[in-house]
Short mmCIF file of all heavy atoms in Angstrom, two decimals:
data_model
loop_
_atom_site.label_atom_id
_atom_site.label_comp_id
_atom_site.label_asym_id
_atom_site.label_seq_id
_atom_site.Cartn_x
_atom_site.Cartn_y
_atom_site.Cartn_z
N LEU A 236 14.91 22.17 1.99
CA LEU A 236 16.15 22.20 1.23
C LEU A 236 16.16 23.40 0.28
O LEU A 236 17.18 24.10 0.15
CB LEU A 236 16.31 20.90 0.44
CG LEU A 236 17.58 20.80 -0.42
CD1 LEU A 236 18.83 20.92 0.43
CD2 LEU A 236 17.59 19.50 -1.20
N ALA A 267 15.99 12.50 -8.24
CA ALA A 267 17.40 12.66 -7.86
C ALA A 267 17.89 14.08 -8.06
O ALA A 267 18.66 14.61 -7.24
CB ALA A 267 18.26 11.68 -8.65
N TRP A 270 17.71 16.63 -5.23
CA TRP A 270 18.56 16.45 -4.05
C TRP A 270 20.04 16.69 -4.37
O TRP A 270 20.91 16.37 -3.55
CB TRP A 270 18.37 15.04 -3.49
CG TRP A 270 16.96 14.79 -3.08
CD1 TRP A 270 16.00 14.13 -3.77
CD2 TRP A 270 16.34 15.25 -1.88
NE1 TRP A 270 14.81 14.15 -3.09
CE2 TRP A 270 14.99 14.83 -1.91
CE3 TRP A 270 16.79 15.99 -0.77
CZ2 TRP A 270 14.09 15.11 -0.89
CZ3 TRP A 270 15.90 16.27 0.25
CH2 TRP A 270 14.56 15.83 0.18
N SER A 271 20.34 17.26 -5.52
CA SER A 271 21.74 17.43 -5.93
C SER A 271 22.54 18.27 -4.95
O SER A 271 23.74 18.05 -4.77
CB SER A 271 21.80 18.05 -7.33
OG SER A 271 21.15 19.32 -7.36
N ALA A 272 21.89 19.23 -4.28
CA ALA A 272 22.62 20.12 -3.37
C ALA A 272 23.16 19.39 -2.14
O ALA A 272 24.11 19.86 -1.51
CB ALA A 272 21.71 21.27 -2.93
N VAL A 273 22.56 18.24 -1.80
CA VAL A 273 23.02 17.51 -0.61
C VAL A 273 23.46 16.09 -0.95
O VAL A 273 23.79 15.31 -0.06
CB VAL A 273 21.89 17.45 0.47
CG1 VAL A 273 21.62 18.83 1.02
CG2 VAL A 273 20.63 16.81 -0.11
N SER A 274 23.48 15.77 -2.22
CA SER A 274 23.71 14.37 -2.62
C SER A 274 25.09 13.85 -2.23
O SER A 274 25.28 12.63 -2.14
CB SER A 274 23.50 14.22 -4.13
OG SER A 274 24.43 15.03 -4.83
N GLN A 275 26.05 14.75 -2.01
CA GLN A 275 27.39 14.30 -1.63
C GLN A 275 27.62 14.34 -0.13
O GLN A 275 28.70 13.94 0.34
CB GLN A 275 28.45 15.16 -2.34
CG GLN A 275 28.39 15.09 -3.85
CD GLN A 275 28.44 13.66 -4.36
OE1 GLN A 275 29.32 12.88 -3.97
NE2 GLN A 275 27.52 13.30 -5.25
N GLY A 276 26.61 14.78 0.64
CA GLY A 276 26.76 14.84 2.09
C GLY A 276 26.70 13.46 2.71
O GLY A 276 26.04 12.54 2.20
N ALA A 277 27.42 13.31 3.85
CA ALA A 277 27.51 11.99 4.49
C ALA A 277 26.15 11.48 4.93
O ALA A 277 25.84 10.29 4.76
CB ALA A 277 28.46 12.08 5.69
N PHE A 279 23.16 12.19 3.76
CA PHE A 279 22.33 11.83 2.62
C PHE A 279 22.83 10.52 2.00
O PHE A 279 22.03 9.64 1.66
CB PHE A 279 22.35 12.94 1.58
CG PHE A 279 21.40 12.70 0.43
CD1 PHE A 279 20.06 13.05 0.53
CD2 PHE A 279 21.84 12.10 -0.74
CE1 PHE A 279 19.18 12.82 -0.53
CE2 PHE A 279 20.97 11.86 -1.80
CZ PHE A 279 19.63 12.22 -1.69
N ARG A 280 24.14 10.39 1.84
CA ARG A 280 24.68 9.17 1.23
C ARG A 280 24.39 7.95 2.09
O ARG A 280 24.11 6.87 1.57
CB ARG A 280 26.18 9.35 0.99
CG ARG A 280 26.49 10.43 -0.04
CD ARG A 280 27.97 10.63 -0.25
NE ARG A 280 28.57 9.49 -0.93
CZ ARG A 280 29.84 9.45 -1.30
NH1 ARG A 280 30.65 10.48 -1.03
NH2 ARG A 280 30.32 8.39 -1.92
N GLN A 281 24.46 8.14 3.42
CA GLN A 281 24.12 7.02 4.30
C GLN A 281 22.65 6.65 4.16
O GLN A 281 22.29 5.46 4.13
CB GLN A 281 24.43 7.39 5.75
CG GLN A 281 24.03 6.34 6.78
CD GLN A 281 24.76 5.01 6.56
OE1 GLN A 281 25.94 5.01 6.18
NE2 GLN A 281 24.09 3.90 6.79
N VAL A 283 20.72 7.12 1.51
CA VAL A 283 20.50 6.47 0.21
C VAL A 283 20.98 5.03 0.27
O VAL A 283 20.32 4.12 -0.24
CB VAL A 283 21.22 7.25 -0.90
CG1 VAL A 283 21.18 6.46 -2.21
CG2 VAL A 283 20.58 8.61 -1.10
#
Side-chain angles (χ1 to χ4, degrees):
L236 179 60
W270 299 100
S271 60
V273 293
S274 61
Q275 299 307 310
F279 186 85
R280 294 178 70 176
Q281 176 61 36
V283 171

